[in-house]
Amino acid sequence: MNLHSTVGGPALAQQRHLVTEIPGPASRELLQRRQASVARGLSHVLPVFVTAAGGGVLIDADGNSLIDFGSGIAVTSVGNSAELVVTRVTEQVAHFTHTCFMVVPYEGYVEVCEELNRITPGAHEKRSALFNSGAEAVENAVKIARHATGRQAVVVFDHAYHGRTNLTMAMTAKNMPYKDGFGPFAGEVYRVPMAYPFRWPGGPAACAAEALDVITGQIHAQVGESRVAAVVIEPIQGEGGFIVPPDGFLAGLADWCREHGILFIADEIQTGFCRTGDWFACDHEGVVPDLITTAKGIAGGLPLAAVTGRAEIMDAVHPGGLGGTYGGNPVACAAALGAIETYAKEDLPAAARGIGEIMLPRLRDMARRHPVIGDVRGRGAMIAVEIVRPGTTEPDAEATARVARACHANGLIVLTCGTYGNVLRFLPPLVIGPELLREGLSILEDAFAGL
Ligand code: PLZ
């Protein structure tokens, strides 16, 4: 039995082991209760009810052990119940659970901000503010940018995802399921094309050559540079399809923003905290954002989010202008300190790169044998395949769903994404072992063979 021992968490056997069909009888019974009690608007990728998780596996109510290629959407990168997260949280929860940082402060909040200021891109003087969710961090980044610049317009991209609150729905591109029927949306949000190599008219080379000019030209013509407070971009788009812009695009965009007094805001909520093989995806090309939003991987599964940025921008807001009852909750801060220590101690950026080095060649090989795979892309442990009708770029969401279902039935948790629902994405915990990773890839390969 191969117990994962590196980062702690429950010492669960690191193996796939199915004892019932998926979902099994115990999960199906819970699902009935769920249907009678929980709103229909919340859906599940896979309706198995979890009882324990750690390393690269999740255990369900029927005793099945499933391989986790999702990390709860890029959250449990340090693994579930990682040792340092559990010890710090346990200690904190026994001391005090809440004061509200706006009522009486505590050291943990300050320590998390110090760490964020240190590890985020750029050596300039920074400040941070803590919130509860990714969407809330994005909302606050926009508030801060508007206040600091005295401008109102916010530029976002096709395929962007920034959250489900009113402002962030306006910033999110995809209608179904995120926006449909939920308007009216916040104003002064402008959308421009994304540098999406696989779908750029003329292909990847044209995308690299043209994207920046097309996009900045549209901002000039349709918004006007002097009205723009901020350009908000995911360095690798997440929900929109794991879209990796061409080399140099982000740096070019950041330079253009600087020339026009526009703040460059990197939404690293999905890409951050070692996921792409660097601490932050911007680090890959040395891009330094003015503001960066983080969440997900920040606290090993506890709800926490942050805005970090240039001191003069962050401090432009008057005292009392930012806040929230729970933002930077002491237990979540303790978890973040445990998670950040784990990323560094276990060298999880290197682990993420190692995961990519195993996954990418296997997936490229699959793509040669299964022409439904139109594109293989991603970086580190943020990897995806885009599914199309063979020989075209026409999205095939139906085949994508079938592959995902086959993986689920065989005990591999994979997620889909993409504006057209035709992208299979892989976000394993960074502490997953290589054997489990390879086994997951074999299950995926079988699913393609069975299409
Ligand atoms: N910005 C880049 O990826 C969250 C959404 C899951 P919250 N992505 C997962 C769903 O269907 O609700 C996300 C993101 C990027 C912002 C967010 C929003 O983060 O913590 O979900 O609010």
Side-chain angles (χ1 to χ4, degrees), residues 173-354:
K174 189 176 176 175
N175 180 49
M176 235 5 212
Y178 308 122
K179 301 169 75 163
D180 199 66
F182 298 137
F185 303 111
E188 286 304 309
V189 174
Y190 298 88
R191 192 171 309 286
V192 292
M194 177 60 184
Y196 187 169
F198 183 66
R199 297 197 171 276
W200 192 266
C207 181
E210 300 163 4
L212 188 62
D213 286 346
V214 168
I215 289 161
T216 55
Q218 272 198 23
I219 300 172
H220 172 77
Q222 297 180 17
V223 196
E225 291 88 340
S226 63
R227 290 215 303 120
V228 181
V231 169
V232 185
I233 190 164
E234 301 154 81
I236 296 177
Q237 287 182 321
E239 302 304 308
F242 282 28
I243 299 163
V244 186
D247 286 347
F249 172 76
L250 292 171
L253 186 63
D255 287 345
W256 180 84
C257 285
R258 197 168 309 116
E259 263 169 54
H260 295 281
I262 297 167
L263 301 185
F264 180 84
I265 303 181
D267 179 347
E268 290 237 24
I269 286 162
Q270 192 151 163
T271 49
F273 289 98
C274 310
R275 178 53 54 188
T276 65
D278 290 286
W279 274 88
F280 296 93
C282 280
D283 291 328
H284 185 68
E285 291 186 297
V287 173
V288 177
D290 297 303
L291 300 178
I292 178 169
T293 56
T294 54
K296 291 189 182 285
I298 192 172
L302 274 83
L304 189 71
V307 182
T308 300
R310 295 187 186 283
E312 65 278 16
I313 297 167
M314 296 293 292
D315 283 342
V317 177
H318 49 276
L322 302 174
T325 305
Y326 290 118
N329 167 272
V331 181
C333 285
L337 294 170
I340 292 168
E341 191 181 337
T342 305
Y343 287 116
K345 213 168 110 189
E346 305 292 330
D347 196 1
L348 294 185
R353 293 194 293 274

Side-chain angles (χ1 to χ4, degrees), residues 2 9 16 25 79 87 98 148 202 259 274 286 308 333 365 385 420:
N2 168 21
R16 180 180 64 116
T87 43
H98 174 83
E259 263 169 54
C274 310
T308 300
C333 285
D365 182 56
V385 293
Y420 315 109

